[in-house]
Amino acid sequence: MGLIPISLVLFLHIFGLIVSTSPLHAQAKVFNVVNYGAKANDKTDNSAVFLKVWNAACEEEGKKEILIPAGVFRTGPVKMNGPCKGQMLFNNRGVLRAPSDPQLQVREWITFQYIDGLTVHGLGTFDGQGAYSWSYKKTSKYLVLPDTLRFHFVNNSMVHHLRLIDSKGIHMMFYGCYNIYVDHIHISAPGDSPNTDGIHIALSSNIHISYSTIGTGDDCIALLSGARNVNVSHVNCGPGHGISVGSLGNTQGEEDVTGLLVQSCMFTGTLNGVRIKTWANPSFPLTASSFTFQDLIMNNVYNPIIIDQEYSDLSTYPEQGSSQVQIRDVKYINIRGNSMSQVAINFLCSEFKPCQNLELNNINLDYHGRGGPAKADCTFANGVAYGTQNPPSCL
Ligand SMILES: *[C@@H]1O[C@H](CO)[C@@H](O)[C@H](O)[C@H]1NC(C)=O
Ligand SMILES: *[C@@H]1O[C@H](CO)[C@@H](O)[C@H](O)[C@H]1NC(C)=O
Protein backbone atom coordinates (compact mmCIF):
# COMPACT_ATOMS: atom_id res chain seq x y z
CA MET A 1 0.00 0.00 0.00
CA GLY A 2 1.22 3.51 -0.78
CA LEU A 3 1.41 6.45 1.52
CA ILE A 4 -1.95 7.96 0.72
CA PRO A 5 -4.25 4.98 1.38
CA ILE A 6 -2.63 4.41 4.78
CA SER A 7 -2.97 8.08 5.70
CA LEU A 8 -6.61 7.91 4.74
CA VAL A 9 -7.19 4.84 6.88
CA LEU A 10 -5.57 6.63 9.81
CA PHE A 11 -7.74 9.68 9.29
CA LEU A 12 -10.87 7.57 9.03
CA HIS A 13 -9.98 5.83 12.27
CA ILE A 14 -9.43 9.08 14.07
CA PHE A 15 -12.31 11.07 12.68
CA GLY A 16 -14.68 8.12 12.24
CA LEU A 17 -14.45 7.00 15.81
CA ILE A 18 -14.56 10.45 17.34
CA VAL A 19 -18.33 10.56 17.01
CA SER A 20 -18.81 7.27 18.85
CA THR A 21 -20.77 8.12 21.95
CA SER A 22 -19.55 7.30 25.42
CA PRO A 23 -21.66 4.99 27.53
CA LEU A 24 -24.50 6.59 29.45
CA HIS A 25 -24.01 6.83 33.16
CA ALA A 26 -27.64 6.63 34.11
CA GLN A 27 -27.03 5.41 37.61
CA ALA A 28 -24.69 8.27 38.54
CA LYS A 29 -26.01 11.01 40.77
CA VAL A 30 -25.73 14.22 38.75
CA PHE A 31 -24.33 17.45 40.21
CA ASN A 32 -25.06 20.15 37.63
CA VAL A 33 -22.78 23.09 38.42
CA VAL A 34 -25.47 25.57 37.36
CA ASN A 35 -27.68 24.36 40.20
CA TYR A 36 -24.90 25.37 42.60
CA GLY A 37 -24.58 28.88 41.19
CA ALA A 38 -22.14 28.55 38.28
CA LYS A 39 -22.68 31.18 35.58
CA ALA A 40 -22.15 30.46 31.88
CA ASN A 41 -21.65 34.11 30.95
CA ASP A 42 -17.96 33.98 29.91
CA LYS A 43 -17.23 36.46 32.70
CA THR A 44 -17.90 35.26 36.27
CA ASP A 45 -15.06 33.32 37.89
CA ASN A 46 -16.67 29.96 38.76
CA SER A 47 -13.70 28.37 40.51
CA ALA A 48 -15.18 28.56 44.02
CA VAL A 49 -18.42 26.95 42.80
CA PHE A 50 -16.58 24.14 40.99
CA LEU A 51 -14.58 23.36 44.10
CA LYS A 52 -17.72 23.31 46.25
CA VAL A 53 -19.49 20.96 43.82
CA TRP A 54 -16.46 18.68 43.58
CA ASN A 55 -16.18 18.40 47.36
CA ALA A 56 -19.91 17.71 47.76
CA ALA A 57 -19.86 14.99 45.08
CA CYS A 58 -16.64 13.48 46.38
CA GLU A 59 -18.14 13.04 49.85
CA GLU A 60 -21.24 11.14 48.59
CA GLU A 61 -21.31 7.37 48.39
CA GLY A 62 -21.70 5.73 44.96
CA LYS A 63 -21.16 6.99 41.45
CA LYS A 64 -21.37 10.76 40.89
CA GLU A 65 -21.30 12.95 37.84
CA ILE A 66 -20.26 16.58 37.88
CA LEU A 67 -21.97 18.13 34.89
CA ILE A 68 -20.71 21.24 33.13
CA PRO A 69 -23.59 21.92 30.70
CA ALA A 70 -23.30 23.79 27.38
CA GLY A 71 -22.08 27.38 27.75
CA VAL A 72 -18.83 29.21 28.44
CA PHE A 73 -17.72 28.99 32.07
CA ARG A 74 -14.77 31.07 33.19
CA THR A 75 -12.66 29.59 35.93
CA GLY A 76 -9.38 30.27 37.65
CA PRO A 77 -7.16 27.45 38.95
CA VAL A 78 -9.11 24.60 40.62
CA LYS A 79 -7.57 21.65 42.44
CA MET A 80 -9.96 18.71 42.79
CA ASN A 81 -8.74 16.41 45.52
CA GLY A 82 -9.63 12.85 46.47
CA PRO A 83 -9.79 10.32 47.81
CA CYS A 84 -13.51 10.22 47.01
CA LYS A 85 -16.12 7.82 48.31
CA GLY A 86 -17.08 6.42 44.89
CA GLN A 87 -16.44 6.69 41.20
CA MET A 88 -16.22 10.28 39.91
CA LEU A 89 -17.30 11.47 36.48
CA PHE A 90 -16.40 14.96 35.31
CA ASN A 91 -18.64 15.57 32.30
CA ASN A 92 -17.65 18.72 30.43
CA ARG A 93 -20.27 19.46 27.78
CA GLY A 94 -19.42 23.15 27.58
CA VAL A 95 -16.34 25.31 27.48
CA LEU A 96 -14.13 25.90 30.51
CA ARG A 97 -12.16 29.07 29.85
CA ALA A 98 -9.04 30.10 31.76
CA PRO A 99 -8.33 33.69 32.82
CA SER A 100 -6.90 35.69 29.95
CA ASP A 101 -4.25 37.34 32.14
CA PRO A 102 -0.86 35.64 31.89
CA GLN A 103 -0.91 33.99 35.40
CA LEU A 104 2.86 34.17 35.62
CA GLN A 105 3.07 32.76 39.16
CA VAL A 106 0.61 29.88 38.63
CA ARG A 107 1.74 26.37 37.65
CA GLU A 108 -1.50 24.54 37.01
CA TRP A 109 -5.06 25.31 35.97
CA ILE A 110 -7.37 22.29 36.38
CA THR A 111 -5.88 19.57 38.59
CA PHE A 112 -7.26 16.21 39.71
CA GLN A 113 -5.32 14.43 42.44
CA TYR A 114 -5.38 11.36 44.73
CA ILE A 115 -8.31 9.73 42.95
CA ASP A 116 -9.07 6.10 42.09
CA GLY A 117 -11.72 5.68 39.37
CA LEU A 118 -12.10 9.04 37.62
CA THR A 119 -13.61 9.71 34.20
CA VAL A 120 -13.14 13.10 32.51
CA HIS A 121 -15.11 13.31 29.28
CA GLY A 122 -18.07 15.03 27.60
CA LEU A 123 -17.02 16.45 24.18
CA GLY A 124 -16.37 19.81 25.85
CA THR A 125 -13.41 22.17 25.62
CA PHE A 126 -10.69 23.35 27.98
CA ASP A 127 -9.54 26.71 26.64
CA GLY A 128 -6.28 27.79 28.26
CA GLN A 129 -6.24 31.24 26.62
CA GLY A 130 -2.46 31.01 26.34
CA ALA A 131 -2.06 33.66 23.66
CA TYR A 132 -1.83 36.36 26.34
CA SER A 133 1.04 34.66 28.17
CA TRP A 134 3.20 33.20 25.38
CA SER A 135 4.98 36.50 24.71
CA TYR A 136 6.26 36.49 28.33
CA LYS A 137 7.53 32.94 27.88
CA LYS A 138 9.30 33.82 24.65
CA THR A 139 11.39 36.42 26.48
CA SER A 140 12.11 34.35 29.62
CA LYS A 141 12.80 30.69 29.01
CA TYR A 142 12.73 29.72 32.72
CA LEU A 143 9.25 31.09 33.25
CA VAL A 144 6.76 28.32 34.08
CA LEU A 145 3.20 28.86 32.88
CA PRO A 146 0.15 26.92 34.13
CA ASP A 147 -0.62 23.54 32.56
CA THR A 148 -4.22 23.01 31.46
CA LEU A 149 -5.16 19.56 32.84
CA ARG A 150 -3.03 17.83 35.44
CA PHE A 151 -3.49 14.41 37.00
CA HIS A 152 -1.46 13.66 40.12
CA PHE A 153 -1.64 10.20 41.75
CA VAL A 154 -4.73 9.16 39.83
CA ASN A 155 -5.38 5.42 39.23
CA ASN A 156 -7.68 3.33 37.03
CA SER A 157 -9.15 6.25 35.16
CA MET A 158 -10.23 7.46 31.72
CA VAL A 159 -9.88 10.77 29.90
CA HIS A 160 -11.72 10.81 26.59
CA HIS A 161 -13.66 12.80 24.00
CA LEU A 162 -12.33 16.24 24.91
CA ARG A 163 -10.78 19.24 23.20
CA LEU A 164 -7.91 21.19 24.73
CA ILE A 165 -6.86 24.42 23.08
CA ASP A 166 -4.22 27.10 23.58
CA SER A 167 -2.78 26.00 26.90
CA LYS A 168 -0.54 28.50 28.62
CA GLY A 169 1.84 25.65 29.51
CA ILE A 170 1.55 21.90 28.85
CA HIS A 171 -1.91 20.73 27.81
CA MET A 172 -2.14 17.48 29.77
CA MET A 173 0.19 16.06 32.39
CA PHE A 174 0.21 12.71 34.23
CA TYR A 175 2.34 12.42 37.35
CA GLY A 176 2.29 9.44 39.73
CA CYS A 177 -0.59 7.82 37.82
CA TYR A 178 -1.40 4.18 37.11
CA ASN A 179 -3.64 2.49 34.52
CA ILE A 180 -5.08 5.40 32.56
CA TYR A 181 -6.86 5.32 29.18
CA VAL A 182 -6.73 8.50 27.11
CA ASP A 183 -8.57 8.54 23.77
CA HIS A 184 -10.37 10.78 21.29
CA ILE A 185 -8.58 13.87 22.53
CA HIS A 186 -7.96 16.87 20.26
CA ILE A 187 -5.17 19.15 21.40
CA SER A 188 -4.31 22.26 19.45
CA ALA A 189 -2.18 25.36 19.86
CA PRO A 190 -0.20 27.33 17.26
CA GLY A 191 3.03 25.76 16.00
CA ASP A 192 5.01 28.74 17.29
CA SER A 193 3.53 28.82 20.81
CA PRO A 194 6.37 28.17 23.32
CA ASN A 195 6.44 24.92 25.36
CA THR A 196 2.77 24.13 24.82
CA ASP A 197 3.45 20.36 24.80
CA GLY A 198 0.54 17.99 24.23
CA ILE A 199 0.84 15.23 26.86
CA HIS A 200 3.58 14.70 29.46
CA ILE A 201 3.95 11.44 31.37
CA ALA A 202 6.22 11.15 34.41
CA LEU A 203 6.49 8.64 37.27
CA SER A 204 3.47 6.82 35.84
CA SER A 205 2.78 3.37 34.41
CA ASN A 206 0.30 1.61 32.16
CA ILE A 207 -0.80 4.70 30.29
CA HIS A 208 -2.68 4.13 27.03
CA ILE A 209 -3.16 6.95 24.54
CA SER A 210 -5.08 6.31 21.31
CA TYR A 211 -7.21 7.86 18.55
CA SER A 212 -6.13 11.42 19.20
CA THR A 213 -4.78 14.42 17.30
CA ILE A 214 -2.16 16.68 18.80
CA GLY A 215 -0.77 19.81 17.18
CA THR A 216 1.15 22.30 19.35
CA GLY A 217 4.34 24.33 19.60
CA ASP A 218 6.36 21.61 21.35
CA ASP A 219 6.34 17.84 21.96
CA CYS A 220 3.25 15.93 20.92
CA ILE A 221 3.80 13.40 23.72
CA ALA A 222 6.82 13.30 26.04
CA LEU A 223 7.92 10.55 28.42
CA LEU A 224 9.95 11.82 31.33
CA SER A 225 11.57 10.38 34.47
CA GLY A 226 9.78 7.24 35.71
CA ALA A 227 7.41 6.72 32.76
CA ARG A 228 6.84 2.95 32.33
CA ASN A 229 4.67 0.86 30.01
CA VAL A 230 3.17 3.53 27.83
CA ASN A 231 1.15 2.53 24.76
CA VAL A 232 0.50 5.17 22.10
CA SER A 233 -1.51 4.23 19.01
CA HIS A 234 -3.46 5.96 16.23
CA VAL A 235 -2.23 9.41 17.14
CA ASN A 236 -1.77 12.19 14.57
CA CYS A 237 1.01 14.63 15.50
CA GLY A 238 1.71 18.01 13.97
CA PRO A 239 2.66 20.75 14.09
CA GLY A 240 5.15 20.38 16.95
CA HIS A 241 8.23 18.43 17.96
CA GLY A 242 6.95 14.85 17.67
CA ILE A 243 6.97 12.03 20.22
CA SER A 244 9.87 12.25 22.62
CA VAL A 245 11.55 10.28 25.37
CA GLY A 246 13.29 12.91 27.48
CA SER A 247 15.10 15.08 27.99
CA LEU A 248 16.55 12.65 30.54
CA GLY A 249 19.45 12.65 32.94
CA ASN A 250 19.98 16.28 33.88
CA THR A 251 18.89 16.01 37.52
CA GLN A 252 19.88 13.59 40.24
CA GLY A 253 17.27 11.03 41.32
CA GLU A 254 15.47 10.62 38.01
CA GLU A 255 13.96 7.18 37.45
CA ASP A 256 14.46 4.87 34.46
CA VAL A 257 12.12 5.15 31.51
CA THR A 258 11.17 1.74 30.17
CA GLY A 259 8.46 0.20 27.98
CA LEU A 260 7.04 2.37 25.24
CA LEU A 261 5.08 1.21 22.21
CA VAL A 262 4.28 3.82 19.58
CA GLN A 263 2.17 2.21 16.88
CA SER A 264 0.12 3.35 13.84
CA CYS A 265 0.85 7.05 14.23
CA MET A 266 1.31 9.79 11.67
CA PHE A 267 3.59 12.84 11.91
CA THR A 268 2.96 15.83 9.67
CA GLY A 269 5.29 18.81 9.46
CA THR A 270 6.90 18.09 12.81
CA LEU A 271 10.48 18.91 13.80
CA ASN A 272 11.08 15.31 14.93
CA GLY A 273 9.24 12.06 14.43
CA VAL A 274 10.38 9.80 17.24
CA ARG A 275 13.18 11.15 19.40
CA ILE A 276 15.15 10.01 22.44
CA LYS A 277 17.02 12.88 24.04
CA THR A 278 19.43 12.85 26.98
CA TRP A 279 21.66 15.44 28.58
CA ALA A 280 25.43 15.33 28.12
CA ASN A 281 26.23 17.98 30.65
CA PRO A 282 25.18 17.78 33.42
CA SER A 283 24.31 14.09 33.24
CA PHE A 284 23.35 11.50 35.85
CA PRO A 285 23.20 7.71 35.33
CA LEU A 286 19.90 6.29 34.14
CA THR A 287 18.51 3.68 31.73
CA ALA A 288 16.10 4.29 28.87
CA SER A 289 15.08 0.95 27.37
CA SER A 290 12.55 -1.29 25.64
CA PHE A 291 10.93 1.03 23.14
CA THR A 292 9.17 -0.02 19.94
CA PHE A 293 8.27 2.47 17.22
CA GLN A 294 6.15 0.65 14.67
CA ASP A 295 3.99 1.37 11.59
CA LEU A 296 4.64 5.09 11.47
CA ILE A 297 4.20 7.57 8.64
CA MET A 298 6.41 10.65 8.39
CA ASN A 299 5.08 13.50 6.21
CA ASN A 300 7.61 16.31 5.80
CA VAL A 301 9.37 15.64 9.11
CA TYR A 302 12.79 17.24 9.71
CA ASN A 303 14.29 14.47 11.86
CA PRO A 304 12.10 11.37 11.45
CA ILE A 305 14.25 9.06 13.62
CA ILE A 306 16.64 10.63 16.09
CA ILE A 307 18.62 9.81 19.21
CA ASP A 308 20.40 12.84 20.63
CA GLN A 309 22.63 12.19 23.64
CA GLU A 310 24.52 15.45 23.34
CA TYR A 311 21.94 17.82 24.71
CA SER A 312 23.54 20.40 26.99
CA ASP A 313 23.43 23.94 28.16
CA LEU A 314 26.73 25.31 26.92
CA SER A 315 26.11 28.75 28.39
CA THR A 316 26.12 27.27 31.93
CA TYR A 317 28.42 24.28 31.29
CA PRO A 318 30.89 25.32 28.58
CA GLU A 319 32.64 21.91 28.45
CA GLN A 320 30.71 19.30 26.49
CA GLY A 321 30.52 16.07 28.55
CA SER A 322 29.28 12.59 27.73
CA SER A 323 25.82 11.37 28.64
CA GLN A 324 25.55 8.77 31.39
CA VAL A 325 22.15 7.59 30.22
CA GLN A 326 22.21 4.05 28.81
CA ILE A 327 19.86 3.62 25.85
CA ARG A 328 19.11 0.03 24.83
CA ASP A 329 16.61 -2.28 23.15
CA VAL A 330 14.99 0.17 20.76
CA LYS A 331 13.15 -1.16 17.69
CA TYR A 332 12.11 0.88 14.65
CA ILE A 333 9.74 -1.21 12.48
CA ASN A 334 7.91 -0.20 9.28
CA ILE A 335 8.61 3.49 9.24
CA ARG A 336 8.08 5.32 5.96
CA GLY A 337 7.50 8.70 4.43
CA ASN A 338 9.80 11.61 3.76
CA SER A 339 12.45 13.53 5.62
CA MET A 340 12.90 17.29 5.31
CA SER A 341 16.59 17.00 6.25
CA GLN A 342 19.11 14.77 4.51
CA VAL A 343 19.98 12.85 7.69
CA ALA A 344 16.71 10.96 8.04
CA ILE A 345 18.12 8.68 10.74
CA ASN A 346 20.49 10.14 13.29
CA PHE A 347 21.80 7.99 16.14
CA LEU A 348 24.04 10.32 18.13
CA CYS A 349 24.77 8.16 21.16
CA SER A 350 27.06 8.61 24.15
CA GLU A 351 30.74 7.73 24.01
CA PHE A 352 30.56 6.84 27.70
CA LYS A 353 27.44 4.63 27.31
CA PRO A 354 27.05 3.64 23.64
CA CYS A 355 23.53 2.69 22.52
CA GLN A 356 22.97 -1.08 22.66
CA ASN A 357 20.69 -3.31 20.63
CA LEU A 358 19.08 -0.81 18.30
CA GLU A 359 17.05 -2.43 15.54
CA LEU A 360 16.00 -0.99 12.18
CA ASN A 361 13.45 -3.13 10.34
CA ASN A 362 11.84 -2.00 7.06
CA ILE A 363 12.61 1.66 6.88
CA ASN A 364 11.74 3.74 3.83
CA LEU A 365 12.40 7.45 4.25
CA ASP A 366 12.97 9.63 1.18
CA TYR A 367 14.73 12.94 0.97
CA HIS A 368 14.11 15.18 -2.02
CA GLY A 369 16.28 18.19 -1.17
CA ARG A 370 19.78 19.19 -2.24
CA GLY A 371 22.84 17.04 -1.48
CA GLY A 372 21.66 13.67 -2.75
CA PRO A 373 19.61 10.87 -1.22
CA ALA A 374 18.70 10.44 2.45
CA LYS A 375 21.44 9.37 4.87
CA ALA A 376 21.72 7.57 8.18
CA ASP A 377 24.36 8.67 10.70
CA CYS A 378 25.57 6.51 13.57
CA THR A 379 27.83 7.64 16.41
CA PHE A 380 28.50 5.10 19.19
CA ALA A 381 25.43 3.14 18.07
CA ASN A 382 25.24 -0.67 18.11
CA GLY A 383 22.51 -2.83 16.64
CA VAL A 384 21.13 -4.64 13.62
CA ALA A 385 19.12 -3.84 10.49
CA TYR A 386 16.66 -6.06 8.59
CA GLY A 387 14.55 -5.73 5.43
CA THR A 388 14.31 -2.55 3.37
CA GLN A 389 16.76 0.14 4.42
CA ASN A 390 16.29 3.52 2.79
CA PRO A 391 18.52 5.31 3.74
CA PRO A 392 21.15 2.56 3.88
CA SER A 393 21.57 1.51 7.50
CA CYS A 394 24.54 2.82 9.47
CA LEU A 395 24.26 0.09 12.13
C1 LIG B 1 -2.89 4.13 43.30
O1 LIG B 1 -2.21 2.90 43.25
C2 LIG B 1 -1.01 2.88 44.03
C3 LIG B 1 -0.28 1.58 43.72
O2 LIG B 1 -1.16 0.49 43.75
C4 LIG B 1 -1.38 3.04 45.49
O3 LIG B 1 -0.21 3.04 46.28
C5 LIG B 1 -2.10 4.37 45.66
O4 LIG B 1 -2.54 4.53 46.99
C6 LIG B 1 -3.31 4.44 44.72
N1 LIG B 1 -3.86 5.78 44.79
C7 LIG B 1 -5.15 6.04 44.92
C8 LIG B 1 -5.54 7.45 44.95
O5 LIG B 1 -6.00 5.16 45.00
C1 LIG C 1 -1.50 -1.00 22.64
O1 LIG C 1 -2.70 -0.45 22.19
C2 LIG C 1 -3.19 -1.05 21.02
C3 LIG C 1 -4.41 -0.26 20.59
O2 LIG C 1 -5.22 0.07 21.68
C4 LIG C 1 -3.52 -2.50 21.31
O3 LIG C 1 -3.98 -3.14 20.15
C5 LIG C 1 -2.27 -3.20 21.81
O4 LIG C 1 -2.58 -4.51 22.21
C6 LIG C 1 -1.67 -2.46 22.99
N1 LIG C 1 -0.39 -3.07 23.27
C7 LIG C 1 0.08 -3.22 24.49
C8 LIG C 1 1.43 -3.86 24.59
O5 LIG C 1 -0.53 -2.86 25.48
Side-chain angles (χ1 to χ4, degrees):
M1 245 200 280
L3 202 59
I4 288 166
I6 292 205
S7 321
L8 270 175
V9 169
L10 263 169
F11 267 101
L12 288 176
H13 270 304
I14 289 166
F15 292 107
L17 288 174
I18 193 108
V19 293
S20 71
T21 49
S22 45
L24 290 174
H25 303 283
Q27 68 277 46
K29 177 171 180 191
V30 176
F31 290 72
N32 185 333
V33 294
V34 169
N35 298 340
Y36 290 78
K39 297 271 187 291
N41 58 11
D42 196 10
K43 204 170 72 190
T44 311
D45 176 6
N46 291 294
S47 41
V49 176
F50 291 164
L51 194 58
K52 191 174 71 183
V53 176
W54 172 269
N55 289 334
C58 182
E59 278 305 302
E60 287 241 346
E61 303 282 347
K63 193 171 179 178
K64 289 86 39 143
E65 171 180 315
I66 292 164
L67 175 65
I68 314 287
V72 180
F73 295 86
R74 288 273 179 158
T75 178
V78 189
K79 203 169 265 187
M80 289 172 267
N81 288 317
C84 295
K85 286 192 173 143
Q87 212 188 322
M88 298 294 286
L89 309 171
F90 189 90
N91 186 359
N92 177 11
R93 296 192 165 269
V95 176
L96 294 189
R97 186 163 284 160
S100 53
D101 77 68
Q103 306 248 288
L104 300 183
Q105 304 308 319
V106 181
R107 302 195 72 132
E108 46 204 88
W109 181 35
I110 310 282
T111 304
F112 295 92
Q113 52 186 15
Y114 314 114
I115 303 160
D116 190 0
L118 169 72
T119 300
V120 182
H121 67 144
L123 300 169
T125 298
F126 293 85
D127 177 1
Q129 295 229 84
Y132 302 91
S133 54
W134 296 329
S135 56
Y136 293 87
K137 178 76 190 181
K138 281 174 182 162
T139 56
S140 163
K141 74 173 180 169
Y142 296 108
L143 182 66
V144 179
L145 294 168
D147 301 334
T148 286
L149 264 184
R150 289 184 71 132
F151 299 88
H152 301 159
F153 307 101
V154 169
N155 295 344
N156 309 313
S157 295
M158 295 186 280
V159 183
H160 63 93
H161 292 93
L162 293 170
R163 186 176 290 271
L164 280 71
I165 61 172
D166 295 342
S167 182
K168 291 179 170 67
I170 295 158
H171 285 79
M172 199 183 285
M173 161 91 190
F174 294 93
Y175 183 85
C177 295
Y178 170 75
N179 192 32
I180 311 281
Y181 285 80
V182 179
D183 58 88
H184 299 94
I185 301 295
H186 275 240
I187 296 178
S188 69
D192 64 351
S193 56
N195 299 102
T196 53
D197 303 52
I199 302 177
H200 271 204
I201 301 164
L203 209 73
S204 294
S205 60
N206 297 35
I207 310 293
H208 309 257
I209 302 171
S210 60
Y211 298 104
S212 294
T213 59
I214 302 173
T216 71
D218 208 305
D219 293 337
C220 176
I221 297 171
L223 272 67
L224 302 166
S225 165
R228 288 176 292 122
N229 298 332
V230 175
N231 186 355
V232 177
S233 68
H234 300 98
V235 170
N236 260 340
C237 288
H241 296 181
I243 294 183
S244 185
V245 174
S247 311
L248 296 177
N250 77 320
T251 50
Q252 202 146 18
E254 282 182 38
E255 295 192 14
D256 293 347
V257 174
T258 178
L260 165 64
L261 173 63
V262 177
Q263 193 167 23
S264 305
C265 293
M266 186 158 66
F267 300 81
T268 304
T270 49
L271 177 62
N272 307 299
V274 288
R275 172 177 64 173
I276 304 170
K277 183 172 158 190
T278 78
W279 281 74
N281 196 357
S283 178
F284 296 91
L286 201 67
T287 300
S289 65
S290 304
F291 306 140
T292 299
F293 302 104
Q294 184 164 3
D295 303 327
L296 309 180
I297 295 169
M298 305 286 169
N299 295 322
N300 303 326
V301 172
Y302 278 87
N303 307 299
I305 295 177
I306 180 165
I307 293 176
D308 177 5
Q309 296 211 259
E310 290 199 350
Y311 194 53
S312 63
D313 180 355
L314 291 173
S315 60
T316 318
Y317 301 93
E319 303 226 337
Q320 181 64 280
S322 187
S323 178
Q324 301 204 50
V325 179
Q326 175 69 66
I327 293 175
R328 61 175 159 76
D329 306 325
V330 185
K331 294 185 164 91
Y332 300 88
I333 306 169
N334 292 331
I335 300 184
R336 62 176 115 172
N338 72 310
S339 176
M340 294 293 279
S341 72
Q342 191 176 14
V343 181
I345 300 176
N346 193 356
F347 293 138
L348 180 52
C349 298
S350 163
E351 178 172 14
F352 185 71
K353 295 266 185 76
C355 293
Q356 302 296 341
N357 202 18
L358 304 181
E359 181 182 317
L360 289 168
N361 183 349
N362 282 322
I363 307 295
N364 197 350
L365 294 165
D366 287 323
Y367 170 68
H368 302 296
R370 272 181 296 183
K375 290 201 295 203
D377 268 5
C378 287
T379 309
F380 304 114
N382 301 295
V384 290
Y386 308 101
T388 305
Q389 295 295 329
N390 170 32
S393 169
C394 57
L395 289 173

